[in-house]
Amino acid sequence: MGMIRRKLGPPGASWGVLIYLAALPGLAIGAGGISGSVHTRGVKNPTDVIVYVEKVEGQFQPPKATVPIDQIKRTYVPHVLAVLAGSEVEFRNSDNDLHNIHARQGGRKIFNFGIPFQHAVRKVLKQKGIVTLLCDVHPEMSAFVVVTQNPFFTKPDEKGNYTIANIPPGTYTLKTWHENLKPETKEVKVSEGGNVRADFELRR
Ligand SMILES: [Cu+2]
């Protein structure tokens, strides 16, 4: 998750309140959160779901650190990744095998290169949307990168619970993505220091 810069709240709020808010884990003063559960029908792994805020006003700096995706025993790890647009992804090959990364977005090839064994190649993902990763050497390999407009996205844990913190107050469209499940959308109102709940029931 990236950091956002925000002005502190109005003067006049007591220090007690400020210290209390600052002490809440992952909650910046003035920002709110969204949390809830994601139930997936017909697929075994809710951690392959991405929950994300569709659009938040402002420009967001991608993280300085690269975001890794590895290839281990002819499997992409992780299978599903979300990154802020402009993030640099490091494609690793931990196998003793040649792989290539054939990346497609919006029906077009965006890049295609080979990665020798025990090597890595970095690439910036600029455009928001779904990037599909394929290996032309091993047709069974696939992975997905959800490239987002803002840093407010997450993956549910194994029980399907998720939290997105530090969101500026406002009304947003919250969305889900999964390769085999229909996307769902919810309107949510994030208030200052508050936490709004949004539960999803995803189906094929
Ligand atoms: Cu391969």
Side-chain angles (χ1 to χ4, degrees):
M1 300 285 287
M3 289 290 293
I4 50 161
R5 288 209 180 88
R6 287 186 54 76
K7 284 182 185 150
L8 290 176
S14 79
W15 278 109
V17 171
L18 289 178
I19 289 163
Y20 171 69
L21 286 172
L24 289 173
L27 193 64
I29 293 166
I34 307 170
S35 60
S37 66
V38 178
H39 286 120
T40 51
R41 299 229 172 162
V43 295
K44 52 183 190 293
N45 203 349
T47 64
D48 284 342
V49 174
I50 302 295
V51 183
Y52 66 100
V53 179
E54 185 177 38
K55 182 159 174 46
V56 177
E57 286 306 317
Q59 296 279 337
F60 299 96
Q61 286 296 320
K64 287 205 173 74
T66 59
V67 185
I69 181 165
D70 207 345
Q71 297 168 96
I72 304 169
K73 294 182 179 165
R74 299 186 181 182
T75 303
Y76 288 102
V77 181
H79 180 61
V80 176
L81 182 68
V83 298
L84 174 61
S87 295
E88 189 173 43
V89 177
E90 183 172 278
F91 300 94
R92 298 177 181 166
N93 179 0
S94 292
D95 284 340
N96 289 318
D97 231 350
L98 173 80
H99 292 296
N100 81 313
I101 302 267
H102 177 171
R104 302 187 66 82
Q105 184 171 21
R108 292 184 12 249
K109 179 178 85 180
I110 55 169
F111 53 82
N112 188 354
F113 48 77
I115 309 179
F117 64 92
Q118 308 293 338
H119 280 69
V121 177
R122 293 176 174 183
K123 200 83 188 169
V124 173
L125 298 181
K126 294 183 192 138
Q127 300 288 335
K128 69 172 184 170
I130 310 301
V131 175
T132 305
L133 304 178
L134 300 166
C135 174
D136 296 327
V137 187
H138 307 110
E140 71 273 26
M141 293 179 69
S142 72
F144 301 89
V145 186
V146 179
V147 184
T148 60
Q149 177 265 340
N150 61 74
F152 305 110
F153 56 78
T154 193
K155 270 184 175 186
D157 64 19
E158 307 78 47
K159 289 180 177 163
N161 297 314
Y162 77 91
T163 297
I164 307 173
N166 292 332
I167 308 169
T171 301
Y172 301 111
T173 302
L174 188 66
K175 288 196 159 184
T176 64
W177 182 88
H178 183 280
E179 62 182 300
N180 294 322
L181 300 171
K182 291 194 191 100
E184 289 282 336
T185 295
K186 276 186 199 288
E187 296 295 307
V188 291
K189 191 163 186 284
V190 174
S191 55
E192 257 185 59
N195 187 73
V196 61
R197 205 176 158 85
D199 297 328
F200 290 96
E201 195 80 41
L202 304 183
R203 292 157 203 274
R204 278 177 183 270

